[in-house]
Each structure stands twice: as C-alpha cells, then as structure tokens.
Amino acid sequence: MAVCGLGHCARRLLGSLCGRSVQSVPQLRGVRPPAAGQPGSYQAQSAQAARDPAAFWGPLARDTLVWDTPYHTVWDCDFSSGKIGWFLGGQLNVSVNCLDQHVQKCPESVALIWERDEPGTEVRITYRELLETTCRLANMLKRHGICRGDRVAIYMPVSPLAVAAMLACARIGAVHTVVFAGFSAESLAGRINDAKCKVIITFNQGLRGGRVVELKKIVDEAVKHCPTIQHVLVAHRTDNKVHMGHRDIPLEQEMAKEDPVCAPESMGSEDMLFLLYTSGSTGTPKGLVHTQAGYLLYAALTHRLVFDYRPGDVFGCVADIGWITGHSYVVYGPLCNGATSVLFESTPVYPDAGRYWETVQRLKINQFYGAPTAVRLLLKYGDSWVKKYDRSSLRTLGSVGEPINFEAWEWLHKVVGDSRCTLVDTWWQTETGGICIAPRPSEEGAEILPGMAMRPFFGIVPVLMDEKGKVVEGGNVSGALCLSRAWPGMARTIYGDHKRFMEAYFKPYPGHYFTGDGAYRTECGYYQITGRMDDVINISGHRLGTAEIEDAMSNHPAVPETAVIGYPHDIKGEVAFAFIVLKDDTGDTDAVLKELRSAVATKIAKYAVPDQILVVKRLPKTRSGKVMRRLLRKIITGRTQDLGDTTTLEDPSVITEILSSYQKYKDKQAASQ
C-alpha cells in the first residue's frame, strides 16, 4: 500500500488500516444548566423553545456554529406543505465546524479513537491529522470530477477513513450517502441508482468479529447495474489483493498526490448535507434528506446535553456509521463539540463477551451508547464478564434503536453502571436527525424511570392522537405519537419524492409530523414508546419494511403470495415471520425455503432473513383482497382469544386453517430438538 507521499499524519492514519445516580445537567453555550424554578430551568427552556423557536434557537445557532455569512431568518416551517427551513440566508461549512475550529485551538487533541476489530489495537487520530486526511480526500474527489451537489456513496465499515470520506464530501459541498456495509449488492445498487451517485468509496475488504467481509466484490457486483458510477475509490483494510478494473482507483496512492489543504465550500443552511436511506412500509427504501446548519446544531446540542458531555470526555457510541446513530453521535455531534469519539469496528462478543467492557477500561470511556439488542445478548453471558473490568470512568449510559425492556435496563444500570451512572433511554429516528425524547436534560435531581424515554428535548412538542385523528389529552393515555412543532434536525424531504414525504409523515395527521410509533403518556407527562404502528419491524435496532421482505420472496416462481410480520424475540427485540403460499405443483418444499432465505439475504441483507417461514394454503384476506396481518400476528403471539373484528374476512375459516398449520409446524420443531 503506497502511503509514502502523504505526510506523517495521514500516513499514520492510513497505515493503521492494514493488519499491523444523578448528574448535574450539562452546559452548552447559550443554554444554562437548569435549576427548578429558575429562568434557565428545563421547563422554562422547553416552554420558550415551543412558544418562540426563533428566540430559543437563534442565539444557540449564532453562538454554537462557525458561520461564513450570518442567517437572517431563524425558521420558516409549514407542516401543511412540508416546508421546513432553518437559519435561512446563513452560510457555513460543516467540516470547518467539525475540524478547522478545533485545529485552530488545540490541533493535537484526539478526535477519533479507532477500536479496530483486532482486540487491543486502537489507533488515535488527532484533529490535525483528521483535517489533513479529509483535505487530501476532498482534493482527490474534486480531481476525479466531484463537484458541489454531486452524490457520493460510501460503503465502508466504521473507520477513520470513512469519517474522513463523510467530512471530505461536506468540505467540497458534495452529498454523501453512507450505505451500511452489511447490505447486499442489490440493496447497494438500489441506493446508488436512486441517488445517482457518481463515485463510490469502499475498502478492499472489511474485518468484523474476526471474519473477512468481501466489500470490493459486493461493490463490483453492485456497480454492474449502476450507470452513473464513474469511479470506485478503493482503500485497503487488509493486505489482500482484489480485482481492480478500469473504474477502480487505489485510494491511498491517489491521496498521496494531493495537497493537505482544501478550501472549504461555503454552503447555504438548507443545502443538502447527506442522504440516508431508511425502510418504510412500502418495498422501496426512502432517501431522507438532511441539510447543513439545522442538522449540525441539533446533533451537537443533543450530544452535549443528553449525555452530559464535558470537554476532555471520551465518548463511546458503538453504532455503525451506516445508520443515523453513527452519523449524529459518532461523527457530526461529537466532532462539532470537539469531543474524542470512539469508532468501534468489532462486535460485542469478539473475542469474548467482555469486549465492550475491556474497551471501556482501556480507553477510559465516559459515555457508552449502544443498542438494547447487544445488552440483551450480553446479559445472557452473566455478570462476570462485566465485573472483570474497571468501568469507573463511565458517567452516562445510553440506549438507542428500539425500546429497551425492563430487565435489560436494570442490568445495564445496576451491573454495568454500578447503579451510579445516569441511564438515558433515547427515542428518535433517521427522520428526526437527533434525539427527541430522553430522560436528560431535566431539572437537577429529576427522576429517571426504567425503560422509558420520558422527556421531550427542547423544541420537541409531542402529542398523542386517537384513531379518529383527535388529540388525546391528559395522562395515563396511549395513542399515535406525533410532533406538532418543527425542529432544526428534522429531515427536509425524501430525495426526488416530496409527495411520498408528505404522504408518509404529514398526511395521516394534518398539521403534525407522524412518527409511525405509538406511545403511552403517564400522569406525570412522561412518554414511553410502545412500538411501530405501521408495517415496519425493528430487528436489532434496524428498521425494515415488511414489504421489502415480501417483495424479495414473492419473486420466487413457486411463491404466488407471501405475508411478513414482526414478532417478539428475546435478543433481537423483533424478528420477521413469513407466511407463504406455494403453488400446487411445488416439489421440494425445503429447497424452496432455502432459496427464499437466500433471496432475502441477497436482495436486502442477512439480518433481514425471516427467523421462521410457515407454508399455508392461503392468507387471511378482506373481501377487497387486503391481507389482515394483525390476525397473523395474533396467531403467532398466542392471542387467538382476542382476534377482534373479523367480519371483513372473505372466509373466516382461514384462521382455523392457519392455526392448524402453525400447530403442526411447532410440533415438528419440538420433535426435532
């Protein structure tokens, strides 16, 4: 790997790729620490943010971000038309806010600690080193034809170079779309084509849990179907050689030719920063658009206040950068705040179940932010793997991606946190850009209840809606969770399809943003998320539309019909259960099931493969032909005594039929164990 012309800091970064209780509420400039009854209290600030967004967000944006040109209008939003605009007229560069401002003050402070897959081999990258690498990569992108507004795909695992790629795009005004490096070639190609990306950046291979992932091979397969791709930039995570075609460019060699200084592009507040694809209730993933200033401010503010971030802390979010959690709380939020952010490349159980906690001890992590799925998995290994390591550096624990169950919350709080760390169960979405409901910030000494997101963040105004679209008032009530006010971090549209954006988020409850989740509000006004209300399931914290799985399976010639639902799983939270109808002349059923699992893995990702597939003669349908998935869900979860209204079923006897098939299926499973 040629790194000889890069300069010391970039050479060191690239060379590392190959195998060689209650806390006080934190401060942000412009936001005072709350104290009950005082003008700066949580209640007072929340009320101001809801009542007068301009007076609340305006000074925060001015004092927190580095501007090229001041904004003239704080906000201009109208949910009825889907118009969302913040800090209008302002110009800035996100990479300057995340890098240059800190390099000017403290160039040798550590920006990133890369916890590589190989245990105990962390690499520390300073802000100066990250800026130099970002500039070289930015110059390289420009030399290969990438201009302001062009889209760049990033198909890389968690690594400093992946972060530099995101920031390099931001520096020159290009739009990045990071695709989770576990997605299949078909899923990758679909996202590239929707965004019309001109370049894709990847590694020759990835490493995860001691296993090699053939990233370049997946990219090669994907770009066969991507006419807009002009170049594939290939970095090296391992020393293994991969095929290099006419479009392929060795990243390290090309970066060696570039200048370590790149003038930042001045971007309008509402210019696109990145696209991130997420699943919806239809079969097509949607590219959510996040813009510059509002997103960055919201990510930085929530990072500082929810997690009690203090200068000098080591912030450990173990999410992948392919998800919004990695964007907001591995990259943009922490770096805007000048934090040291941990990049975790491995898995919670490699080489053993103590990996997280050994990392906490060695890196002296102060905040640890992860998914309930991992907590539930580690809980089953017992307490000894946790108590083996010193976790005294921890102050805040966080949960993200799905509602956390009581047992997992208690274990995380009492065993991992020794009952002394603040535990924040955070609710938010790809669409929201940052945390919307969490136990902190709050008044000094305010209670935290297990397994509950609790309090809206500043500027977030939740309402619950009933089935008729009426606001549900008071406490001890449930309903559809909607947000009645715009906030700076929210997505602006679906790329190329604003109509779908309106129909998905603003049409169900006019005048409100519909989250797709249900929620319960206590007598005290705290919020608990009860789960998805649409046909979206949450597998290990990853949202996945059931229609996507159905589409992948229904392409099989032996499968005329299929229906997929989500059902509870003790580790993953939810998993997919598929009901399929086979043609009468189908021969080897087991072979078909194997082919269906392979099809889902190939078209979407391995984590999307249904845990169970049940062959049935027919599906429960209404007279108009709509599949009644709620009945299938009740069959699988054992709630057949409460099927609800079945009068719209075309033939009610189908329920008895499916119940019989399901019982035989369970008996067969039990006999084989």
Side-chain angles (χ1 to χ4, degrees):
M1 178 170 68
V3 296
C4 53
L6 286 168
H8 171 70
C9 47
R11 202 163 51 236
R12 195 172 71 79
L13 187 157
L14 291 170
S16 68
L17 291 172
C18 287
R20 3 236 193 246
S21 69
V22 176
Q23 304 293 326
S24 60
V25 179
Q27 264 187 299
L28 183 72
R29 283 170 288 178
V31 172
R32 290 163 289 185
Q38 299 302 312
S41 70
Y42 167 76
Q43 284 98 335
Q45 290 179 347
S46 292
Q48 184 195 32
R51 181 183 65 252
D52 191 351
F56 182 83
W57 293 107
L60 273 174
R62 183 190 64 232
D63 296 342
T64 304
L65 303 180
V66 177
W67 295 90
D68 299 331
T69 304
Y71 49 87
H72 55 68
T73 302
V74 175
W75 72 301
D76 182 14
C77 304
D78 179 10
F79 279 178
S80 65
S81 64
K83 180 176 70 172
I84 304 159
W86 286 87
F87 313 116
L88 302 177
Q91 289 190 305
L92 79 174
N93 185 275
V94 166
S95 79
V96 169
N97 278 270
C98 291
L99 298 175
D100 301 57
Q101 67 159 328
H102 308 307
V103 171
Q104 290 172 9
K105 299 169 190 172
C106 193
E108 300 310 312
S109 62
V110 176
L112 305 173
I113 304 178
W114 185 27
E115 176 63 16
R116 304 197 311 163
D117 191 56
E118 303 91 334
T121 60
E122 82 273 7
V123 177
R124 295 170 189 264
I125 309 297
T126 68
Y127 274 92
R128 178 177 57 82
E129 292 172 323
L130 184 56
L131 175 59
E132 178 181 312
T133 305
T134 296
C135 287
R136 289 184 183 274
L137 188 41
N139 285 328
M140 179 184 171
L141 287 171
K142 289 200 294 184
R143 185 156 58 86
H144 287 89
I146 297 300
C147 303
R148 178 178 178 140
D150 287 341
R151 275 78 62 205
V152 174
I154 299 172
Y155 188 69
M156 307 171 87
V158 180
S159 63
L161 202 54
V163 175
M166 296 167 71
L167 293 169
C169 291
R171 196 163 191 87
I172 64 175
V175 177
H176 65 70
T177 181
V178 182
V179 180
F180 173 56
F183 274 126
S184 68
E186 188 166 330
S187 290
L188 173 60
R191 287 154 173 79
I192 290 172
N193 288 332
D194 186 77
K196 297 179 175 59
C197 297
K198 291 173 69 173
V199 164
I200 181 168
I201 308 174
T202 191
F203 279 124
N204 64 331
Q205 295 175 317
L207 292 177
R208 182 165 169 81
R211 297 188 300 273
V212 172
V213 183
E214 297 292 351
L215 298 176
K216 177 59 165 53
K217 288 183 180 179
I218 294 170
V219 170
D220 286 346
E221 184 60 34
V223 298
K224 289 178 184 177
H225 312 285
C226 301
T228 60
I229 289 291
Q230 298 172 5
H231 302 293
V232 178
L233 309 184
V234 185
H236 289 77
R237 176 62 179 90
T238 71
D239 288 322
N240 299 325
K241 292 184 178 181
V242 293
H243 171 74
M244 297 291 282
H246 68 281
R247 282 183 295 200
D248 301 335
I249 297 169
L251 185 104
E252 294 90 350
Q253 290 180 24
E254 292 299 302
M255 282 179 65
K257 303 172 185 176
E258 302 297 344
D259 195 292
V261 176
C262 176
E265 190 81 10
S266 191
M267 305 298 292
S269 293
E270 285 300 320
D271 286 338
M272 205 185 323
L273 175 62
F274 65 84
L275 278 173
L276 193 56
Y277 285 83
T278 187
S279 294
S281 55
T282 65
T284 308
K286 46 186 183 276
L288 290 159
V289 172
H290 281 285
T291 54
Q292 310 270 335
Y295 167 78
L296 185 64
L297 175 66
Y298 197 76
L301 185 67
T302 48
H303 168 255
R304 190 179 290 264
L305 294 181
V306 173
F307 297 104
D308 185 22
Y309 167 74
R310 304 170 189 175
D313 281 351
V314 176
F315 186 78
C317 174
V318 293
D320 193 283
I321 60 162
W323 310 114
I324 188 64
T325 305
H327 281 56
S328 298
Y329 301 113
V330 174
V331 182
Y332 289 114
L335 294 183
C336 185
N337 287 330
T340 297
S341 183
V342 174
L343 308 177
F344 188 79
E345 186 183 31
S346 194
T347 74
V349 292
Y350 178 74
D352 53 50
R355 180 62 185 270
Y356 276 167
W357 322 124
E358 188 278 331
T359 303
V360 167
Q361 173 183 283
R362 178 165 34 85
L363 304 185
K364 294 182 169 52
I365 292 172
N366 302 110
Q367 294 89 5
F368 182 86
Y369 194 32
T373 297
V375 176
R376 288 190 290 266
L377 173 63
L378 294 173
L379 190 157
K380 293 185 177 298
Y381 283 85
D383 301 354
S384 60
W385 285 109
V386 181
K387 294 181 177 179
K388 182 178 179 180
Y389 300 102
D390 177 10
R391 301 160 332 279
S392 60
S393 61
L394 290 171
R395 281 201 325 276
T396 304
L397 299 169
S399 170
V400 62
E402 57 185 303
I404 186 169
N405 57 303
F406 181 81
E407 183 186 16
W409 193 100
E410 285 279 293
W411 186 80
L412 189 59
H413 177 62
K414 291 181 177 178
V415 178
V416 176
D418 289 327
S419 299
R420 60 175 181 77
C421 296
T422 300
L423 203 170
V424 289
D425 173 21
T426 63
W427 174 84
W428 59 296
Q429 304 171 314
T430 305
E431 294 88 339
T432 72
I435 294 164
C436 289
I437 307 178
R440 297 287 188 261
S442 62
E443 305 296 356
E444 186 81 28
E447 66 180 343
I448 293 180
L449 301 179
M452 191 175 289
M454 299 187 74
R455 300 176 179 91
F457 192 75
F458 301 126
I460 301 299
V461 183
V463 295
L464 300 182
M465 295 285 195
D466 65 17
E467 293 179 353
K468 297 180 180 179
K470 302 294 185 183
V471 174
V472 181
E473 304 284 359
N476 194 25
V477 293
S478 297
L481 177 63
C482 298
L483 305 178
S484 62
R485 281 277 192 175
W487 63 100
M490 69 186 301
R492 301 318 198 235
T493 188
I494 292 172
Y495 184 69
D497 197 348
H498 193 67
K499 181 182 177 183
R500 185 182 178 191
F501 184 67
M502 292 298 299
E503 289 176 348
Y505 302 108
F506 299 102
K507 188 177 179 180
Y509 300 95
H512 298 80
Y513 166 83
F514 174 46
T515 68
D517 282 330
Y520 166 75
R521 185 170 58 227
T522 71
E523 292 288 356
C524 297
Y526 301 148
Y527 289 86
Q528 182 170 26
I529 310 303
T530 54
R532 298 296 299 174
M533 299 182 70
D534 53 15
D535 293 324
V536 174
I537 56 180
N538 198 321
I539 303 173
S540 299
H542 307 324
R543 274 173 55 182
L544 187 67
T546 55
E548 289 180 70
I549 305 174
E550 291 172 0
D551 286 352
M553 300 178 79
S554 61
N555 285 331
H556 194 287
V559 182
E561 289 186 293
T562 180
V564 175
I565 62 166
Y567 75 103
H569 187 276
D570 61 349
I571 299 293
K572 299 176 183 178
E574 277 188 299
V575 288
F577 193 113
F579 296 80
I580 64 166
V581 176
L582 295 178
K583 291 182 177 178
D584 292 339
D585 59 354
T586 302
D588 189 343
T589 300
D590 289 341
V592 171
L593 298 186
K594 185 177 180 181
E595 289 164 2
L596 289 173
R597 291 187 172 94
S598 177
V600 174
T602 301
K603 291 178 179 292
I604 308 173
K606 289 181 180 178
Y607 73 79
V609 176
D611 268 37
Q612 313 282 343
I613 301 178
L614 178 64
V615 178
V616 294
K617 294 179 181 178
R618 52 189 177 142
L619 297 172
K621 295 181 181 179
T622 63
R623 293 178 183 87
S624 62
K626 182 180 179 181
V627 177
M628 297 184 72
R629 289 174 179 79
R630 68 172 179 83
L631 298 181
L632 297 174
R633 197 172 291 111
K634 288 192 174 186
I635 289 171
I636 298 308
T637 54
R639 293 180 293 158
T640 52
Q641 301 303 314
D642 178 30
L643 291 177
D645 183 13
T646 58
T647 56
T648 57
L649 270 177
E650 185 178 32
D651 182 358
S653 67
V654 70
I655 299 298
T656 305
E657 214 174 78
I658 295 173
L659 275 169
S660 175
S661 297
Y662 184 47
Q663 188 58 53
K664 291 177 182 176
Y665 173 78
K666 288 196 296 183
D667 291 344
K668 184 179 178 181
Q669 279 191 316
S672 65
Q673 291 176 351

